[in-house]
Amino acid sequence: MDSKAYSGGLAELRELRDEIKPRLRDLVKLRTELDKLQARRDQQIVELGAYEKAKADRIATSAGVSVIDVVALVPSLGPQGTPSAPADAPAGGLSAADELPGPQTAVQPIKEPAGAPAPDLRPAAQPAADTATDEPATDTAAEEDQDLEAAEPLIDTATTSPPATPPGVEQERTLPSIPDGAEGDRWIYAEPNLTSKRPNFKQAARQMAFLDTATGVLVWQAGTVTLDLGRASVAEILTAVYATVSADVERIYITAGDPWHRNAARHQFLKDAVSEWLNGPLPEGWRVESSRGKDRQAGHLVHPRNPVGRWQRGNDQHTEIRSVGEWFDPAGADPATVRAAFVELWKALKRHWDDVVLMGSPSQTGRDLWSRTIPAKAGAKWADGYPVMSQEIRGLLHATAGQGRTELITPPRVPERVPGWYEADRTFAYAKHTWTSGVGVPQRMTAAGFAALSEKEQANALFSPSHWQVRVTIPKEWDHVGLLPAPAPGERAWHYPYEGGRTFTTWAGGAEINQALRNPIQPWKLEILDGLVWDKGDPLKDWSNKLKDVWKSLRALAQTHGDEQQRQAARLASRAVRSILLYGIGMFAQRPRITTGSVELGTGGEVPEIPDGARLTGLTDTHATWERNGGFARDPYAHPEWAAGVWSAARAALLSGPTGTTDPATGKPARAGALHLPAGSILAFRTDAIYSSVRPDWPYSGEPGDYLLKGAMAWEQTTPTADEEFYVLQSLGRQALEAEDL
């Protein structure tokens, strides 16, 4: 670029600025007017909700919001609990028309009852219960290693009241709790006639094609061609692909090009660009898919990076356009290599599942493969299926069990300049935490019930698969990272309090409770307020072990195969196995159903009516996108207690956990994690990864759960204070380590 072009560009930029300014003013004005109207609407909902015969669903329909939104404003309109199913309940259970749109009991604010002190779990004489944190070395239950140093007694029988929120700390949101007494006890049941059973059918296989929209290269079972895709709109892709392949190709995976982002610069949010692309004009005879089968869903999924578009031609031809990024990052692989990766994945899975079918996404595939490991032999335990928890318990777990830990630690907690930047990532981490899970209907453990147990019984409860409401007091001398998640301001947001002397109330899984009580630095004080304790079982173990075996075999193939393309395909396939397990576990969480859709704008740009209970989420020049919360479905595979247990164990192991090698000094498994690095050296957490200013010296054997050094810069860095700065250092650190290894 010369100076003339630069000056011309600046002039064009000023013109754009002048065009944007008035539109921003209009937008602010519209937002102000909208806020006022929404406030009036909410006030009207509250006033109408005071009427003794008011119905949440009728108010929601009239207001154009969801029932959940109405109940949030008027909690008294929420259902007040569902008793256990009576003996004469119909055999078919609830029909789809009977499904409730949300948790059946209104959220109960956390009270401040007297808690029962948790026992000291650190003495050498540990109970013969399995640890909820670490996987045993063999199939039999193994006692946890006793490598923790002795410290002062944990129990403080004096009752402490929580101090006021520290200055400068924004008010946290309040988590729900189980109602007191008989009302809360009615939550403890399994949904009638709803269990996870082994399927008695085989999934239908779908023919797939792989398309690079940047180059036009299309690969499918019958060959390879290069297409002219124009601007790669939906219409151009469907026309070009189905002029080449037969109609039985039902999935088109985009391997590169991201055509849904072509107009991203015109939109403030990526989802709006994706929505515009999905809702673009269609070739004659095509329409958005409106039917669904056993493994087919109707309509589009508007995801900012991995969207799913579904269309049909006539009544018989159906197709999906999906991103291969759902399965793995193709890392520049061409469509032929990506297809080879899917072939290798199928062949490797076939060794363990004769009826394996690769479905549209890794989450769907993971759940289907798991369902085919459910015991089916008559008389086997759980051969009749795994019961699904009550809607109340599922709603509680949805609200109180977070996923991976994401935290950026900034000055003044750490120096503004640090001596280095290191990324240590746990390999295939979730596979490490599937050896035991809670099964059956849980036992409720109130503070009074917990206090009445012997110390051994208390320890056994804490070592069982469990989920606890606790009041936490951090030791005054604490100077390391936080150990337990607490609700942060904002929906579904979590943070990790670390300030010495601070007291807070939260929910946490048994693995994290154990970590807080027996961490290698100093135990935290916990008071049990309430809890759910499940029997131990291994519903995920067979599924996980098979996936681990597939993962290992593909990794070995990636190192030994003589053909470079096949080595790359095997590497990609091994990453797909990781996605199958990772997203398969996420499917058990069964969040409330979110339905998305779009409607075409009127000729004057006016927005037509959207479905009752839906809210507007996006607006383009041609379409309005809406979203509706459908509440919790009667899903036979809904097991949030399993997902919550794995997530809790993974977060605990991020702090301290055994590796696959032995510590020569103790003869026990060497331990690794953030608490084994100096205080003040931790810069960030990202799900399975730790970022620090000192180089972790942890052994790596390639086993699930081991820490692999993925980035390293052994020179002074400016500490990141925002996500954008963090991702720059993450990328530079990986590049530096790769150059170091060359």
Side-chain angles (χ1 to χ4, degrees):
M1 177 181 291
D2 56 20
S3 61
K4 182 178 179 180
Y6 179 71
S7 299
L10 290 177
E12 184 179 353
L13 196 60
R14 286 191 291 271
E15 291 176 4
L16 290 172
R17 177 199 63 194
D18 294 340
E19 289 184 29
I20 290 170
K21 278 185 177 180
R23 287 168 172 76
L24 282 176
R25 286 194 294 268
D26 292 343
L27 183 61
V28 170
K29 182 179 178 181
L30 286 172
R31 170 55 64 184
T32 302
E33 293 174 356
L34 178 61
D35 289 344
K36 290 179 180 178
L37 290 172
Q38 289 177 331
R40 285 175 54 193
R41 178 199 64 196
D42 293 348
Q43 181 61 35
Q44 185 77 351
I45 289 173
V46 172
E47 292 175 0
L48 292 173
Y51 177 52
E52 61 181 2
K53 295 183 180 180
K55 301 288 187 181
D57 54 347
R58 294 194 62 185
I59 294 176
T61 300
S62 300
V65 298
S66 70
V67 173
I68 291 177
D69 292 331
V70 172
V71 172
L73 291 168
V74 190
S76 61
L77 295 183
Q80 300 302 310
T82 300
S84 299
D88 59 350
L94 296 176
S95 68
D98 297 323
E99 292 174 13
L100 297 176
Q104 296 177 342
T105 299
V107 167
Q108 304 290 323
I110 285 181
K111 304 176 180 63
E112 288 296 339
D120 189 341
L121 299 183
R122 294 171 298 116
Q126 184 155 319
D130 303 340
T131 171
T133 308
D134 300 334
E135 181 176 10
T138 65
D139 287 343
T140 58
E143 294 185 1
E144 172 62 17
D145 54 285
Q146 303 297 312
D147 61 348
L148 302 177
E149 298 178 0
E152 295 181 3
L154 174 68
I155 302 299
D156 179 2
T157 56
T159 302
T160 57
S161 58
T165 303
V169 177
E170 191 177 353
Q171 183 64 43
E172 297 172 346
R173 75 185 191 281
T174 300
L175 294 178
S177 60
I178 304 174
D180 293 332
E183 184 182 357
D185 292 340
R186 284 196 291 269
W187 287 25
I188 313 302
Y189 70 96
E191 289 286 353
N193 305 302
L194 191 65
T195 56
S196 304
K197 294 184 178 180
R198 190 175 188 134
N200 56 8
F201 65 91
K202 182 178 180 178
Q203 296 287 359
R206 313 289 181 190
Q207 292 297 316
M208 296 178 284
F210 300 87
L211 176 64
D212 182 335
T213 60
T215 63
V217 174
L218 175 73
V219 177
W220 77 109
Q221 188 176 21
T224 301
V225 296
T226 300
L227 305 177
D228 181 2
L229 298 176
R231 288 186 52 79
S233 67
V234 171
E236 288 167 318
I237 290 175
L238 292 177
T239 300
V241 169
Y242 286 104
T244 306
V245 306
S246 60
D248 62 355
V249 172
E250 295 190 44
R251 290 195 185 114
I252 303 170
Y253 281 109
I254 305 299
T255 65
D258 294 346
W260 38 81
H261 291 161
R262 291 289 171 90
N263 291 327
R266 296 173 48 192
H267 299 277
Q268 184 177 3
F269 301 107
L270 277 180
K271 285 186 71 171
D272 291 339
V274 172
S275 177
E276 181 183 52
W277 184 83
L278 289 171
N279 291 294
L282 295 174
E284 184 178 354
W286 287 89
R287 67 182 188 275
V288 176
E289 187 175 50
S290 58
S291 64
R292 62 180 69 228
K294 285 185 177 179
D295 67 341
R296 180 182 291 128
Q297 294 180 306
H300 304 318
L301 171 64
V302 184
H303 187 279
R305 300 196 180 277
N306 296 315
V308 181
R310 302 182 179 98
W311 298 271
Q312 65 183 83
R313 180 163 56 178
N315 294 323
D316 300 324
Q317 184 178 355
H318 301 264
T319 193
E320 293 181 329
I321 296 180
R322 313 183 72 111
S323 169
V324 80
E326 292 181 88
W327 291 85
F328 47 74
D329 178 0
D334 58 43
T337 303
V338 173
R339 182 180 181 275
F342 276 77
V343 172
E344 291 298 335
L345 174 63
W346 181 84
K347 287 163 55 179
L349 291 170
K350 180 75 172 175
R351 292 196 291 271
H352 291 287
W353 285 277
D354 289 337
D355 51 358
V356 60
V357 170
L358 295 182
M359 303 178 69
S361 68
S363 57
Q364 293 172 322
T365 304
R367 186 172 71 174
D368 184 67
L369 293 177
W370 171 78
S371 71
R372 297 172 194 280
T373 64
I374 299 174
K377 186 177 180 180
K381 194 172 185 180
W382 308 112
D384 293 331
Y386 293 102
V388 173
M389 299 299 96
S390 71
Q391 188 169 230
E392 292 87 351
I393 294 177
R394 284 181 283 147
L396 178 76
L397 288 167
H398 171 67
T400 61
Q403 298 187 36
R405 180 169 181 168
T406 298
E407 184 179 17
L408 183 63
I409 301 174
T410 59
R413 289 181 61 187
V414 292
E416 293 184 356
R417 300 280 293 178
V418 290
W421 171 271
Y422 301 92
E423 175 188 2
D425 184 73
R426 296 186 71 215
T427 299
F428 205 14
Y430 282 9
K432 179 74 174 178
H433 306 294
T434 52
W435 63 277
T436 187
S437 302
V439 289
V441 177
Q443 176 187 358
R444 184 183 182 186
M445 191 68 68
T446 63
F450 188 83
L453 299 177
S454 68
E455 189 168 312
K456 180 178 180 181
E457 290 171 330
Q458 290 180 345
N460 285 338
L462 292 173
F463 276 100
S464 296
S466 50
H467 192 62
W468 300 94
Q469 185 185 31
V470 291
R471 184 158 51 237
V472 184
T473 301
I474 305 175
K476 291 182 179 180
E477 303 82 11
W478 188 260
D479 65 349
H480 219 294
V481 297
L483 304 185
L484 293 173
E491 184 182 2
R492 301 285 299 161
W494 300 88
H495 65 166
Y496 295 81
Y498 62 91
E499 304 92 342
R502 181 174 177 182
T503 295
F504 62 96
T505 300
T506 191
W507 284 86
E512 289 166 291
I513 297 297
N514 275 275
Q515 188 68 268
L517 291 171
R518 58 195 187 105
N519 72 80
I521 297 175
Q522 184 180 8
W524 285 21
K525 176 186 173 182
L526 306 182
E527 295 173 81
I528 302 298
L529 304 179
D530 214 334
L532 298 169
V533 181
W534 283 267
D535 289 337
K536 295 185 184 73
D538 56 4
L540 305 179
K541 185 177 179 179
D542 185 33
W543 172 70
S544 177
N545 283 345
K546 288 178 177 178
L547 289 177
K548 283 189 282 188
D549 183 73
V550 171
W551 174 75
K552 290 179 180 179
S553 68
L554 288 169
R555 280 166 60 94
L557 185 64
Q559 295 174 349
T560 60
H561 201 287
D563 181 80
E564 173 56 31
Q565 184 188 54
Q566 288 303 115
R567 288 199 298 272
Q568 186 179 12
R571 282 194 295 271
L572 296 178
S574 71
R575 295 171 189 170
V577 177
R578 176 186 178 276
S579 296
I580 288 174
L581 186 132
L582 178 70
Y583 296 121
I585 289 170
M587 286 286 280
F588 290 123
Q590 198 243 356
R591 295 166 183 79
R593 295 168 298 172
I594 302 297
T595 305
T596 63
S598 62
V599 290
E600 192 170 359
L601 301 184
T603 54
E606 64 274 8
V607 179
E609 289 189 14
I610 61 177
D612 289 343
R615 66 184 183 92
L616 200 64
T617 58
L619 202 61
T620 69
D621 293 340
T622 59
H623 285 77
T625 305
W626 54 264
E627 184 178 275
R628 180 168 55 187
N629 189 326
F632 292 93
R634 278 180 57 82
D635 182 353
Y637 298 114
H639 291 286
E641 67 276 15
W642 298 348
V646 171
W647 294 336
S648 175
R651 290 193 300 269
L654 204 59
L655 299 169
S656 178
T659 64
T661 59
T662 300
D663 184 344
T666 64
K668 298 173 181 177
R671 302 186 72 86
L675 297 182
H676 300 276
L677 292 173
S681 67
I682 307 301
L683 304 176
F685 293 98
R686 284 296 186 277
T687 308
D688 300 328
I690 298 171
Y691 298 82
S692 66
S693 59
V694 300
R695 190 178 187 117
D697 186 22
W698 299 327
Y700 181 75
S701 60
E703 290 297 313
D706 281 358
Y707 281 94
L708 173 66
L709 191 66
K710 292 184 68 173
M713 291 188 288
W715 54 89
E716 192 174 83
Q717 303 290 332
T718 299
T719 304
T721 58
D723 284 346
E724 294 81 3
E725 297 170 2
F726 164 83
Y727 288 117
V728 168
L729 283 181
Q730 182 192 64
S731 177
L732 292 175
R734 293 177 179 179
Q735 294 174 25
L737 181 63
E738 185 177 352
E740 178 183 312
D741 291 340
L742 292 178

